[in-house]
C-alpha cells in the first residue's frame, strides 16, 4: 500500500513505451516486503538536466536510465562506478543523501545470464551491432578474460571505433568490420560465443534477422540474442535448428534489474519471480 513512507524508484528514457522494468521491479519489491514503488518517468531531451535535479528534490532512491540518456546523464552526476567509467555509460543512478552515483549493470547482467546457463566465458567472441548494448556487453566480456572479440556493424566506422575503445580499455584483441555475409562467415566460423546486439528481429519485425546463413558456425558455439520479445527470434530459431546452445535477452534483462535492486537496497532480489513476470508478459 502506498503511504507517506513509500520510497520511489524510477526509470527515465524517451520514449519509454514498452519497458517491462516497472512490472518486473514492482513485483520484486513487493516480494521483498519493501515499501518502495518503481515508476516510468518519461523525460523529453530538453528536460534531462531538470529531471536529474528532481532525483534530489523528490529524494528518489534512484532511477534506471535508458535510451537515449545513458551517456548524457554522466556529466550531471557526482560519482561513477568502475563499470560506468569503463563503458562511458550509466543505466542506474543511485541517490545517496543527495549524492548521485552512476552505475552500469547491463554488462554484468549479461555475464550473469551466461554463468547461469553454465556457459564458459572465454575464447573468441563475435558481437553483431556496435551500439550501446554491444559496448556494455563487449566490455564486460573483455574483462572476463575472453581471448578475442570481433564487432560487426552495418556502419563500419562504428564497429572500428567500438573495437578500438574496448581494446584501449581492456587490452583484449578486438576487430571492427562492416557486417556482411563474408565478414560474418569469417568471424562466425571461429566464434565460441555469438551475440546479437542489433534490434534486427525485435517485435514487430519478427521476420528479420541480422544474418540469414549460420551454417558455418561451429558446434558447440553459444548463440545469444539480447532481444527478449519475441523470446525466440528468427536468429535463435536458426541457431536451435543448427544444434547450437541458444540464450535470449531475458536473462540479461532480469539480472541487470536484479543488480539494480541490489545496489539500491543492499538486499538480494527474487530473480526467479522477476523472470516469471517477464516471461508472462512476452509469452
Ligand atoms: P543501438 O544503440 O541502436 O545499436 C544497435 C547497432 O546495431 C546500431 O549501430 C545499428 O546500426 C546496428 N545494426 C542494426 N541492424 C544491424 C544489422 N542487421 N547488422 C549489423 N548491425 C546492425 O541499440 P542498443 O541500445 O545497443 O540495443 C540493441 C538491442 O539490444 C536492442 O534490441 C535492445 O532492445 C537490446 N537490449 C536488450 C537488453 C536486455 O536487457 N535484454 C538491454 C539492452 C539492449 P544503425 O544505427 O545504423 O541502425
Amino acid at each position: 500500500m502506498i503511504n507517506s513512507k513509500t520510497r520511489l524508484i524510477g526509470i527515465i528514457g524517451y520514449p519509454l513505451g514498452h519497458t517491462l522494468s516497472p512490472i518486473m521491479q514492482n513485483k520484486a519489491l513487493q516480494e521483498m516486503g519493501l515499501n518502495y514503488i518503481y515508476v516510468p518517468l518519461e523525460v523529453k531531451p530538453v528536460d534531462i538536466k531538470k529531471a536529474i535535479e528532481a532525483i534530489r528534490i523528490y529524494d528518489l532512491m534512484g532511477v534506471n536510465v535508458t535510451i537515449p540518456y545513458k551517456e548524457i546523464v554522466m556529466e550531471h552526476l557526482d560519482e561513477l562506478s568502475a563499470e560506468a567509467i569503463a563503458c562511458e555509460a550509466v543505466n542506474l543512478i543511485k541517490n545517496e543523501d543527495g549524492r548521485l552515483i552512476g552505475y552500469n549493470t547491463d554488462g554484468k547482467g549479461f555475464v550473469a545470464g551466461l554463468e547461469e546457463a553454465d556457459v564458459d566465458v572465454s575464447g573468441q567472441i563475435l558481437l553483431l551491432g556496435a551500439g550501446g548494448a554491444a559496448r556494455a556487453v563487449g566490455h564486460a566480456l573483455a574483462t572476463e578474460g575472453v581471448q578475442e572479440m570481433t564487432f560487426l556493424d552495418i556502419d563500419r566506422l562504428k564497429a572500428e571505433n567500438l573495437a578500438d575503445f574496448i581494446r584501449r580499455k581492456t587490452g583484449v584483441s578486438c576487430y571492427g568490420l562492416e557486417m556482411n555475409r563474408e565478414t560474418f562467415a569469417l568471424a562466425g566460423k571461429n566464434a565460441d560465443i555469438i551475440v546479437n546486439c542489433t534490434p534486427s528481429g525485435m517485435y514487430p519485425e519478427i521476420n528479420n534477422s541480422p544474418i540469414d546463413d549460420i551454417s558455418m558456425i561451429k558446434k558447440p558455439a553459444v548463440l545469444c540474442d539480447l532481444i527478449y520479445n519475441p523470446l525466440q527470434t528468427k536468429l535463435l530459431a536458426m541457431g536451435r535448428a543448427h544444434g547450437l546452445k541458444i540464450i535470449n535477452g531475458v536473462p540479461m534483462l532480469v539480472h541487470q534489474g536484479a543488480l539494480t535492486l541490489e545496489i539500491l537496497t543492499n538486499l538480494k532480489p527474487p530473480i526467479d519471480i522477476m523472470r516469471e513476470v517477464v516471461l508472462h508478459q512476452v509469452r
Side-chain angles (χ1 to χ4, degrees):
M1 192 180 62
I2 297 173
N3 58 26
S4 60
K5 299 265 186 317
T6 304
R7 299 289 311 273
L8 209 64
I9 303 171
I11 176 166
I12 59 172
Y14 188 79
L16 275 178
H18 303 296
T19 176
L20 290 181
S21 292
I23 193 162
M24 175 179 79
Q25 301 294 44
N26 280 315
K27 181 69 179 170
L29 292 167
Q30 191 189 337
E31 288 292 323
M32 292 162 86
L34 297 170
N35 188 5
Y36 301 156
I37 55 165
Y38 186 106
V39 290
L41 301 167
E42 194 166 273
V43 178
K44 292 204 172 72
V46 67
D47 291 325
I48 187 64
K49 194 166 172 227
K50 283 188 261 177
I52 292 170
E53 196 44 41
I55 299 171
R56 294 192 183 92
I57 293 170
Y58 293 115
D59 193 24
L60 306 190
M61 302 271 302
V63 295
N64 276 127
V65 182
T66 187
I67 292 172
Y69 301 130
K70 289 185 179 185
E71 288 90 18
I72 190 84
V73 296
M74 295 179 74
E75 63 192 82
H76 304 295
L77 305 181
D78 300 304
E79 197 181 320
L80 296 167
S81 74
E83 285 84 15
I85 292 170
C87 297
E88 294 179 8
V90 158
N91 78 333
L92 169 65
I93 301 172
K94 182 179 186 182
N95 179 9
E96 281 189 4
D97 301 322
R99 253 186 95 65
L100 301 184
I101 306 167
Y103 294 84
N104 195 313
T105 65
D106 280 337
K108 273 197 178 165
F110 178 77
V111 171
L114 289 185
E115 285 167 353
E116 180 184 70
D118 281 332
V119 173
D120 179 22
V121 185
S122 63
Q124 305 216 12
I125 314 289
L126 170 57
L127 291 108
L128 312 182
R135 182 147 52 130
V137 166
H139 186 272
L141 289 172
T143 54
E144 288 292 317
V146 301
Q147 191 192 333
E148 190 179 287
M149 307 184 88
T150 303
F151 295 90
L152 300 180
D153 195 289
I154 36 184
D155 181 339
R156 180 179 56 85
L157 206 58
K158 234 170 141 177
E160 282 178 3
N161 286 342
L162 182 54
D164 282 349
F165 177 87
I166 304 283
R167 191 186 317 110
R168 265 190 290 114
K169 294 273 180 180
T170 66
V172 170
S173 300
C174 290
Y175 304 92
L177 301 165
E178 184 189 316
M179 169 81 168
N180 57 46
R181 281 181 179 190
E182 288 69 37
T183 54
F184 181 85
L186 200 67
K189 73 177 174 8
N190 294 320
D192 299 293
I193 302 175
I194 299 127
V195 192
N196 178 31
C197 306
T198 82
S200 181
M202 188 163 69
Y203 180 84
E205 316 285 347
I206 59 167
N207 292 320
N208 288 353
S209 169
I211 195 79
D212 54 13
D213 178 12
I214 59 164
S215 57
M216 78 299 292
I217 295 177
K218 68 183 179 191
K219 295 170 216 170
V222 181
L223 179 64
C224 310
D225 203 322
L226 300 193
I227 294 170
Y228 49 82
N229 187 11
L231 290 174
Q232 182 168 281
T233 56
K234 186 176 173 188
L235 178 69
L236 289 188
M238 288 194 297
R240 170 168 282 175
H242 186 50
L244 305 177
K245 180 168 185 144
I246 58 168
I247 299 178
N248 64 24
V250 172
M252 176 175 174
L253 178 68
V254 169
H255 283 283
Q256 65 76 28
L259 287 164
T260 284
L261 294 188
E262 204 174 325
I263 289 167
L264 295 181
T265 67
N266 294 318
L267 298 168
K268 288 272 180 211
I271 286 174
D272 290 340
I273 289 170
M274 295 166 76
R275 188 188 335 269
E276 271 311 305
V277 172
V278 172
L279 291 176
H280 187 73
Q281 291 299 312
V282 288
R283 211 168 256 149

